[in-house]
Amino acid sequence: MALYDLAGARDDGALDDLTAFAAELCQTPIALVSLVEQQTQLFLSRVGLDADGTPRSQSFCAHAMHGHAVMEVADATQDPRFRDNPLVTGDPSIRFYAGAPLVSREGVPLGAVCVIDTVPRGALTDFQRRGLEILAAGTISRLEARRVAREQREQRVAVAKTRAALADSEERFRTLADTMPQMVWSTQPDGYHDYYNARWYEFTGAPPGTTDGEGWNDMFHPEDQDRAWKVWQQSLETGEAYQIEYRLRHFDGTYRWVLGRALPIRDSGGRITRWFGTCTDIHEQKLALEEREVISQELSHRIKNIFAVIGGLIQVAARAHPNLAPLAADLRARIAALGKAHDFVRPHSPHSRPVAHQDSLRGLLEQLFAPYQTQPGERLTITGADIRVDDRAATPLALLFHELATNASKYGALAAMDGHVQISIANDGATATIVWREEGGPAIDQAIVTSGFGTQLIELSAVRQLGGKVTRDWRPAGLELVMEAPVASFSRAG
């Protein structure tokens, strides 16, 4: 830790503003920036506490610095790690603690930025927790800056104090940027590119200065240039973060996929003073994803072909046994419904993807009901909430609603010219309720539609596969069926 000039940071008060802000942000009487060494804990900056440090054995921060997020202790007297700690049983009577880890650029845990209260408290807000993480990042940045400054101090000549501070800041930034594996760039507020780190020139092979201004766009693949320019203009006009994937010309003449990101720096008045961005080479990951998508589409295509083959086999068998023709027609229709469900949820290319979202129950139903009407809503209307579905639920849902639509076209509302079916969907977060209500159909012989194989499929789909229940009401106006099932059974994502 000697490289960080810790004594100088403490004596100069380099971190005092961050510490004071941490106490103000979390509304605590005590805030500290601690560095945990082998035997001791050193406070580089402190608010509300006189001690310069403690033994490591009493350090809360020694626990916090090994985490990946803010560590919180609501009441130290109830925590077996700390209830016998002298800092809890005695002065300063710690009860509440929250600490964000400090980790060096090499990944070494150094300590924590922490806030302390003498009374138990509830958890920090998300804003306070994120604020502590930002303060920890700012502390590391300042310590790293002191580290770089110390390494360079002997090489610089003495200059005026103001000029030295500006030059040192610029040199630190360029040094840090050139050590990064990513390409780093910066622009003026209007988007004029005036800085690239060494990695940019190593990657592109472009002579220094040739990509300043708007010259950067010429380094992109011709098919990506207009898109990248529009996204960048959108960020410049709105101040929104810039993020895009595009192909960047490599020094060997090929194009490689990179991820471009940028954020604006604003002054105290909210005005953008500069943009800082990075380009990250993601070419291998992009190719792997594209290869996986091709394989997935090929598998889905073969599964779809299997449905077609099964349907063809059933048709051939029906020709050999005419007495089985009605049963064969029903089976082919059910297989076709399964094929539609599979085609809806399978991986698609941008050209084959359905118009409706592939995780949409309403989209799946519209796909299944398309053969029964010339346009959506003509004979079957879907209202209410939408529910996320995936490939696991698509099969039972396809069987269930295919059977309902088939029965309605044979015996119910869809068998009459003026008949209509209303499907309403409700979701209370735990249970999904779907109501199938027929209107305007002929009088129904209940025995015909409650004893067949299709009815058994409805029960199988709703009860056994979706874990729900089905109730029927044979009203004079037509069938009303209510299915209730756990929302979790429709999609793995809930």
Side-chain angles (χ1 to χ4, degrees):
M1 295 187 186
L3 291 174
Y4 286 97
D5 187 20
L6 302 182
R10 179 183 57 193
D11 296 341
D12 295 346
L15 305 174
D16 289 352
D17 57 337
L18 301 182
T19 311
F21 185 68
E24 182 179 352
L25 173 69
C26 300
Q27 299 179 343
T28 59
I30 300 173
L32 307 167
V33 174
S34 72
L35 269 292
V36 181
E37 299 180 323
Q38 188 171 4
Q39 300 296 331
T40 61
Q41 172 181 242
L42 175 68
F43 299 148
L44 294 187
S45 180
R46 61 189 186 275
V47 170
L49 195 66
D50 294 330
D52 292 331
T54 70
R56 176 172 178 147
S57 59
Q58 299 176 10
S59 172
F60 282 58
C61 295
H63 296 267
M65 71 180 187
H66 292 291
H68 298 289
V70 174
M71 184 187 89
E72 296 185 52
V73 178
D75 186 350
T77 63
Q78 304 301 313
D79 193 310
R81 296 173 296 176
F82 306 114
R83 61 190 176 198
D84 297 324
N85 190 308
L87 301 179
V88 176
T89 59
D91 190 57
S93 301
I94 295 176
R95 294 298 179 266
F96 173 81
Y97 170 91
L102 296 175
V103 182
S104 75
R105 67 188 183 191
E106 294 85 7
V108 178
L110 301 179
V113 174
C114 69
V115 292
I116 294 171
D117 207 336
T118 56
V119 295
R121 288 180 41 166
L124 296 177
T125 66
D126 290 341
F127 177 75
Q128 291 171 326
R129 193 176 299 110
R130 178 59 180 153
L132 272 186
E133 292 174 345
I134 293 174
L135 290 173
T139 299
I140 282 293
S141 296
R142 293 190 185 186
L143 292 177
E144 292 287 359
R146 296 183 71 87
R147 172 179 176 176
V148 173
R150 182 168 182 165
E151 293 170 349
Q152 298 175 342
R153 191 172 296 125
E154 294 180 356
Q155 302 174 13
R156 296 196 304 267
V157 297
V159 292
K161 187 175 181 179
T162 302
R163 183 178 179 184
L166 293 174
D168 180 53
S169 175
E170 176 70 14
E171 184 66 21
R172 286 201 306 266
F173 167 75
R174 291 179 179 273
T175 301
L176 290 173
D178 284 343
T179 62
M180 294 181 64
Q182 295 160 303
M183 292 166 271
V184 179
W185 49 270
S186 177
T187 81
Q188 297 175 12
D190 61 0
Y192 184 92
H193 287 67
D194 59 4
Y195 169 76
Y196 298 91
N197 71 341
R199 176 64 177 145
W200 167 268
Y201 295 111
E202 292 171 2
F203 183 96
T204 63
T210 59
T211 54
D212 289 355
E214 298 177 2
W216 58 272
N217 203 37
D218 295 335
M219 302 300 298
F220 293 5
H221 192 285
E223 295 178 0
D224 299 336
Q225 290 181 8
D226 289 343
R227 177 171 59 90
W229 182 254
K230 289 178 181 178
V231 174
W232 178 231
Q233 286 297 309
Q234 173 73 12
S235 294
L236 292 177
E237 292 171 4
T238 63
E240 297 173 352
Y242 171 74
Q243 179 164 319
I244 187 174
E245 294 180 3
Y246 53 82
R247 288 161 290 182
L248 182 64
R249 190 169 68 228
H250 194 246
F251 69 83
D252 63 6
T254 63
Y255 285 92
R256 295 181 63 84
W257 282 100
V258 300
L259 171 62
R261 287 175 172 165
L263 289 173
I265 303 298
R266 300 177 184 271
D267 61 17
S268 59
R271 293 181 295 272
I272 294 176
T273 60
R274 200 152 191 81
W275 286 84
F276 286 97
T278 60
C279 301
T280 304
D281 189 337
I282 59 169
H283 194 70
E284 279 70 26
Q285 300 95 308
K286 190 78 172 180
L287 294 182
L289 287 173
E290 290 176 354
E291 182 178 355
R292 186 173 66 179
E293 182 177 355
V294 169
I295 294 173
S296 180
Q297 291 181 19
E298 177 63 21
L299 289 174
S300 295
H301 180 70
R302 295 189 180 191
I303 292 172
K304 186 177 180 181
N305 286 344
I306 290 174
F307 282 122
V309 170
I310 294 174
L313 291 174
I314 293 173
Q315 185 176 14
V316 170
R319 290 173 182 170
H321 303 280
N323 58 314
L324 298 179
L327 175 60
D330 284 344
L331 286 175
R332 290 185 63 204
R334 290 175 180 124
I335 290 172
L338 294 177
K340 288 182 179 179
H342 166 75
D343 192 57
F344 183 78
V345 298
R346 73 174 176 88
H348 282 271
S349 69
H351 302 291
S352 66
R353 185 172 291 113
V355 175
H357 288 292
Q358 289 178 260
D359 60 355
S360 164
L361 173 59
R362 295 182 66 157
L364 174 61
L365 294 181
E366 289 173 358
Q367 183 96 344
L368 293 172
F369 296 151
Y372 300 94
Q373 51 192 357
T374 58
Q375 58 185 3
E378 181 182 35
R379 302 294 305 277
L380 300 100
T381 303
I382 305 171
T383 61
D386 201 355
I387 299 174
R388 179 180 294 181
V389 297
D390 59 16
D391 57 313
R392 179 181 61 176
T395 298
L397 288 169
L399 287 174
L400 189 154
F401 286 101
H402 167 75
E403 295 303 326
L404 288 174
T406 299
N407 288 340
S409 65
K410 291 180 180 179
Y411 318 111
L414 300 183
M417 291 295 295
D418 297 329
H420 192 270
V421 178
Q422 176 77 32
I423 303 100
S424 61
I425 307 171
N427 176 7
D428 64 6
T431 302
T433 303
I434 305 176
V435 179
W436 171 283
R437 183 178 293 109
E438 299 183 24
E439 302 285 349
I444 301 175
D445 183 352
Q446 182 175 345
I448 295 177
V449 293
T450 58
S451 59
F453 178 63
T455 301
Q456 296 178 35
L457 282 181
I458 292 175
E459 295 288 344
L460 174 66
S461 301
V463 179
R464 297 187 184 179
Q465 294 184 267
L466 295 175
K469 63 179 181 179
V470 173
T471 58
R472 297 178 177 82
D473 181 10
W474 301 98
R475 305 170 301 121
L479 169 66
E480 180 178 281
L481 179 142
V482 179
M483 186 196 80
E484 296 177 293
V487 172
S489 66
F490 286 75
S491 171
R492 298 174 184 84

